[in-house]
């Protein structure tokens, strides 16, 4: 089974005290690029989340969105900083002595001075919080992989069809290629007879010229390699797994062979089919860019 690099997965977990929503989506990328967006209070779990997701994802530019809500009020508390309040009060008394003015400070006024009363977040039980996060993250990852696999099935069908079409074009080129040599020989003999009229034709010279021409236009090796690459691509697709990079390399090799055939072509039929072949290879390469 092959998987597309385009996918989406979502999971939601809600209890009386907490709510977690995880969304994962991806597009094509040469490597595995994970971009995690989550509340600051969860940032110390980033390494755990990355390691977890790498169990499911090998390639792609992946965006992960995690929202977390805690409905309990016990997570924050007010802290009285006595030493700071004491220092404020000491200086206020000193001001009273220095300037002879009444110190009218009250408890409510003193409490409003900076850092006398502060709101602090209670320490979080990381183990319990990770248990809360892990299940929805895994569930979203599983659904994400399922969506990639479904898209991969469509890609596989399309690629096999394109490969079969390419093989038909190669067969036409293979069938047409030997006929060029015989046609060239006939044209060469006709031309020589026309020029020499009644003079006998040197068959050995004709054979030499035909051999040189045949060598220049011969595409047997390219055809063999193209068929081998097409077969290898099919086998790799059917084997499945993380095959995107391998298929991209094979497609480059196929394009190189098609270019060679086109450069050697001295026939309109072969040229047209070679151009069609290059077009199909480019379509295959575009699709391969979507495979993980």
């Amino acid at each position: 089974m092959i998987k597309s690099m385009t996918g989406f997965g979502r999971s939601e977990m809600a209890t009386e005290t907490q709510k977690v929503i995880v969304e994962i989506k991806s597009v094509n990328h040469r490597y595995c690029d994970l971009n995690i967006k989550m509340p600051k209070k969860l940032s110390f779990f980033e390494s755990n989340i990355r390691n977890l997701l790498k169990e499911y994802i090998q390639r792609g530019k992946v965006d992960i969105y995690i929202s977390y809500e805690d409905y309990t009020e016990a997570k924050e508390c007010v802290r009285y900083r006595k030493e700071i309040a004491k220092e404020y009060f000491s200086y206020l008394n000193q001001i009273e002595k220095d300037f002879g003015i009444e110190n009218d400070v009250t408890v409510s006024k003193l409490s409003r001075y900076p850092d006398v009363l502060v709101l602090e977040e209670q320490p979080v039980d990381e183990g319990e919080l990770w248990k809360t996060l892990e299940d929805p993250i895994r569930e979203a990852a599983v659904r994400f992989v399922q969506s990639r696999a479904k898209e991969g099935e469509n890609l596989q069908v399309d690629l096999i069809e394109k490969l079969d079409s390419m093989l038909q074009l190669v067969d036409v080129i293979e069938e047409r290629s030997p006929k060029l040599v015989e046609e060239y020989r006939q044209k060469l003999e006709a031309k020589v007879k026309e020029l020499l009229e009644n003079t006998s034709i040197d068959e050995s010279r004709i054979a030499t010229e035909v051999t040189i021409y045949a060598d220049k236009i011969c595409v047997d090796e390219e055809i063999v390699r193209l068929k081998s690459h097409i077969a290898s691509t099919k086998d790799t697709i059917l084997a499945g797994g993380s095959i995107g990079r391998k298929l991209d390399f094979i497609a480059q090799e196929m394009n190189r062979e098609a270019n060679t055939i086109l450069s050697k072509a001295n026939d309109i039929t072969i040229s047209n089919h070679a151009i069609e072949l290059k077009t199909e290879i480019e379509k295959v390469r575009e699709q391969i860019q979507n495979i993980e």
Side-chain angles (χ1 to χ4, degrees), residues 27-231:
V27 293
N28 303 348
H29 198 273
R30 291 183 64 188
Y31 308 106
C32 183
D33 180 14
L34 303 179
N35 181 28
I36 304 172
K37 297 181 180 178
M38 58 186 172
K40 187 177 180 180
K41 67 186 299 181
L42 304 180
S43 59
F44 48 81
F45 291 127
E46 182 170 348
S47 178
N48 295 29
I49 295 171
R50 287 183 180 276
N51 291 335
L52 186 155
L53 292 174
K54 285 179 180 178
E55 297 176 20
Y56 300 90
I57 305 166
Q58 281 71 51
R59 288 180 70 201
K61 180 175 175 55
V62 186
D63 291 316
I64 303 98
Y65 302 92
I66 302 175
S67 68
Y68 173 75
E69 296 179 48
D70 191 337
Y71 303 134
T72 62
E73 298 181 357
K75 297 300 179 183
E76 294 180 337
C77 66
V78 176
R79 181 182 173 191
Y80 165 45
R81 305 179 74 175
K82 180 179 177 180
E83 292 302 319
I84 292 178
K86 184 178 180 180
E87 194 167 352
Y88 276 127
F89 194 71
S90 175
Y91 279 116
L92 289 170
N93 286 332
Q94 185 65 44
I95 292 172
E96 181 184 28
K97 291 178 181 179
D98 291 343
F99 297 99
I101 57 177
E102 181 184 359
N103 183 357
D104 62 348
V105 68
T106 63
V107 172
S108 61
K109 287 181 180 180
L110 185 60
S111 68
R112 288 196 290 270
Y113 278 55
D115 297 324
V116 173
L117 297 179
V118 294
L119 194 64
E120 289 187 346
E121 192 169 324
Q122 293 282 65
V124 176
D125 186 334
E126 294 184 15
E128 288 300 318
L129 184 53
W130 175 244
K131 288 179 183 178
T132 302
L133 294 173
E134 183 176 8
D135 286 344
I137 292 174
R138 286 193 180 276
E139 184 178 347
V142 168
R143 292 177 179 176
F144 172 75
V145 171
Q146 289 172 347
S147 72
R148 279 184 153 196
K150 184 175 181 180
E151 180 65 23
E153 291 177 3
N154 297 330
L155 282 174
Q156 178 170 317
V157 172
D158 184 62
L159 283 171
I160 294 298
E161 289 179 356
K162 284 181 169 57
L163 290 169
D164 288 338
S165 175
M166 287 165 55
L167 194 57
Q168 292 176 5
L169 293 170
V170 174
D171 287 340
V172 172
I173 293 172
E174 184 180 29
E175 181 182 356
R176 174 63 180 161
S177 186
K179 297 177 181 178
L180 296 181
V181 178
E182 183 58 33
E183 290 176 3
Y184 178 75
R185 183 186 183 93
Q186 294 174 1
K187 290 179 181 178
L188 186 61
E189 288 179 347
K191 190 67 175 177
V192 170
K193 286 180 179 178
E194 181 183 342
L195 293 173
L196 300 180
E197 294 183 351
N198 297 327
T199 308
S200 61
I201 300 174
D202 186 348
E203 289 294 335
S204 62
R205 183 61 185 274
I206 293 291
T208 300
E209 291 294 330
V210 171
T211 301
I212 293 172
Y213 176 77
D215 186 60
K216 287 173 62 178
I217 67 166
C218 180
V219 293
D220 291 350
E221 291 183 13
E222 288 78 10
I223 288 171
V224 170
R225 283 195 289 266
L226 264 173
K227 286 187 172 182
S228 175
H229 291 325
I230 292 172

Side-chain angles (χ1 to χ4, degrees), residues 1-15:
M1 176 184 68
I2 66 174
K3 294 192 289 290
S4 168
M5 278 196 284
T6 303
F8 178 80
R10 187 180 189 277
S11 175
E12 181 174 333
M13 185 281 296
T15 66

